[in-house]
């Protein structure tokens, strides 16, 4: 890490400031009408954070409804496979945080539990959310059913077509799915529509945002709810091995599973961290979703961060084989962590992810989602350059049931 970064705070975990800034990023760029709501939400979140009863209910639901703690798993056969062709004594030990075993199949539910408890605490009676691939929509629909609250999910019309199984799951769980036909008809447009609904229905509606983005305090509260991943992993690793991992790796869409894993380790100077963006067909063209590698700072969805955009500041549409990674922005805390040098960011192409997906299936008997397959691709590259007594811990943030049709199509297999 870059310890000589200017104005480095004493703790990397002390951000954001009162107005939601992570360095120059974050903030709350919202319409006048939304400001009172955002302030209300922030006040209520501060109170909830300090309330042991709120924390106790959150922990209880994570244990008995979500299935936490998720296991920490030493992937010995994968580690061995990655050692082929490397010098003796090289090739790191790969471990996984098994968040793909959560109820609804990914990490998204951790955040949904936290936000719906906040909604109930605020007396809100109507829940809205945006979704891209449908994973956040399914997790939101599940917690709404669990608490008996009506649920409206905004989803780009193009995604509705591409993600039929998740659309049906949301409907089974009692949610209304509203296709969004503006713009590129994908996630970014669905999020605009969610923010619009919120402004129009401020009195009774709570907006459950699905990643560590949006106006302050969303990036902070989503991070806090997802940090259960890193807190568990840190304690589990110490208990199992007596030491901390040498490197953490996680895939980045908006950045919530990555910040959830990284945040509890940020002040552990010996732990390197790597966020992995989707390089799609390659970073040379425009067919990727790597906001840090291929974007520049701008304002979207209420916060300032790195965004994929054209010369005129028009938001560009991201591409990735993984629908969960094609958000054109990245959470503001990652933008800051990148600029101060505490976290490194890398990318993996569609092809890298497909190869890693198949490798994990065959070596460990685990079918990962295509999102963490990007992280595994980066693990494969980095493990070779590390010693065989070093530890890489990657977040296996979702399971691959939802992706088997996409993978079959990419491999040319008829189904
Ligand atoms: C939604 C999703 C992502 C991307 O979102 P982040 O906020 O970056 O975590 C990654 N993996 C899975 C399995 C997802 O469902």
């Amino acid at each position: 890490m870059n310890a000589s970064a200017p104005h480095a705070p004493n703790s990397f975990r002390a951000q954001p400031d009162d107005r939601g800034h992570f360095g120059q990023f974050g903030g709350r760029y919202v319409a006048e009408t939304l400001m009172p709501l955002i302030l209300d939400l922030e006040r209520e979140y501060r109170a909830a954070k300090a309330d042991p009863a709120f924390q106790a209910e959150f922990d209880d639901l994570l244990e008995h409804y979500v299935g936490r703690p998720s296991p920490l798993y030493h992937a010995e056969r994968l580690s061995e496979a990655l050692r082929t062709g490397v010098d003796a004594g090289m090739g790191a030990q790969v471990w996984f945080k098994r968040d793909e075993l959560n109820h609804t199949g990914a990490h998204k539910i951790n955040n949904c539990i936290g936000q719906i408890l906040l909604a109930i605490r605020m007396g809100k009676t109507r829940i809205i959310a945006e979704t891209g691939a449908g994973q956040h929509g399914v997790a939101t629909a599940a917690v709404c059913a669990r608490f008996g609250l009506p649920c409206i999910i905004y989803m780009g019309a193009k995604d509705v077509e591409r993600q039929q199984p998740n659309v049906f799951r949301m409907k089974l769980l009692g949610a209304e799915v509203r296709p969004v036909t503006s713009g590129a008809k994908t996630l970014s447009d669905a999020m605009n529509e969610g923010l619009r609904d919120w402004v129009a229905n401020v009195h009774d509606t709570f907006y459950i945002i699905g990643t560590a983005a949006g106006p302050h305090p969303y990036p902070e509260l989503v991070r806090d709810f997802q940090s259960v991943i890193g807190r568990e992993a840190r304690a589990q690793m110490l208990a199992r091995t007596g030491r901390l991992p040498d490197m953490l790796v996680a895939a980045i869409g908006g950045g919530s599973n990555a910040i959830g894993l990284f945040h509890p380790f940020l002040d552990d100077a010996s732990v390197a961290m790597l966020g992995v963006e989707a390089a799609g067909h390659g970073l040379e063209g425009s067919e990727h979703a790597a906001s840090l590698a291929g974007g520049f700072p701008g304002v979207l969805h209420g916060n300032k961060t790195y965004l994929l955009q054209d010369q005129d500041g028009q938001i560009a549409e991201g591409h990735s084989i993984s629908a969960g990674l094609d958000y054109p922005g990245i959470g503001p805390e990652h933008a800051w962590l990148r600029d101060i040098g505490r976290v490194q960011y890398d990318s993996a192409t569609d092809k890298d992810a497909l190869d890693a997906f198949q490798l994990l299936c065959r070596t460990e008997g685990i079918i990962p989602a295509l999102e963490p397959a990007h992280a595994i691709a980066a693990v494969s590259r980095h493990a070779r350059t590390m010693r065989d007594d070093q530890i890489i811990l990657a977040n296996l943030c979702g399971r691959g049931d939802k992706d088997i049709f996409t993978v079959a199509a990419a491999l040319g297999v008829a189904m």
Side-chain angles (χ1 to χ4, degrees), residues 106-108 135 210-212 251-258 324-325 369 371-372 397-398:
H107 63 289
K108 298 273 187 350
Q135 289 301 103
T211 191
I252 303 238
S256 71
N257 88 86
L325 297 184
E371 292 88 359
C397 55

Side-chain angles (χ1 to χ4, degrees), residues 34 128 182 189 191-201 207:
L34 259 189
I128 58 171
S182 55
D189 312 292
M191 199 152 170
N192 286 331
E193 210 51 45
L195 287 166
R196 219 167 281 148
D197 179 315
W198 199 25
V199 174
N201 297 287
Y207 182 10

Side-chain angles (χ1 to χ4, degrees), residues 33-81:
T33 39
L34 259 189
M35 209 53 188
L37 270 115
I38 295 275
L39 293 174
D40 205 27
L41 172 63
E42 188 187 359
R43 207 162 29 243
E44 209 49 62
Y45 181 56
R46 296 275 163 253
K49 213 169 166 173
D51 180 356
F54 181 88
Q55 192 61 48
E57 193 173 6
F58 179 64
D59 292 346
D60 185 77
L61 283 160
L62 286 187
E63 180 177 352
H64 301 292
Y65 187 67
V66 175
R68 303 204 71 94
S70 65
L72 186 76
Y73 173 69
H74 185 189
E76 294 181 71
R77 290 235 320 137
L78 176 67
S79 306
E80 189 57 46

Side-chain angles (χ1 to χ4, degrees), residues 100 105-108 133-136 210-213 222 226 251-259 322-326 334 369-372 395-399 402-403:
E100 97 281 12
H107 63 289
K108 298 273 187 350
Q135 289 301 103
H136 176 59
T211 191
V222 174
Q226 291 294 2
I252 303 238
S256 71
N257 88 86
I259 200 70
S322 154
L325 297 184
D326 66 8
H334 287 289
L370 280 167
E371 292 88 359
N395 194 20
L396 206 51
C397 55
R399 54 182 179 245
K402 68 183 176 62
D403 290 323

Side-chain angles (χ1 to χ4, degrees), residues 16-21 26-28 42 216:
D17 69 15
D18 308 340
R19 290 163 62 226
H21 294 110
R28 39 188 165 216
E42 188 187 359
H216 178 62

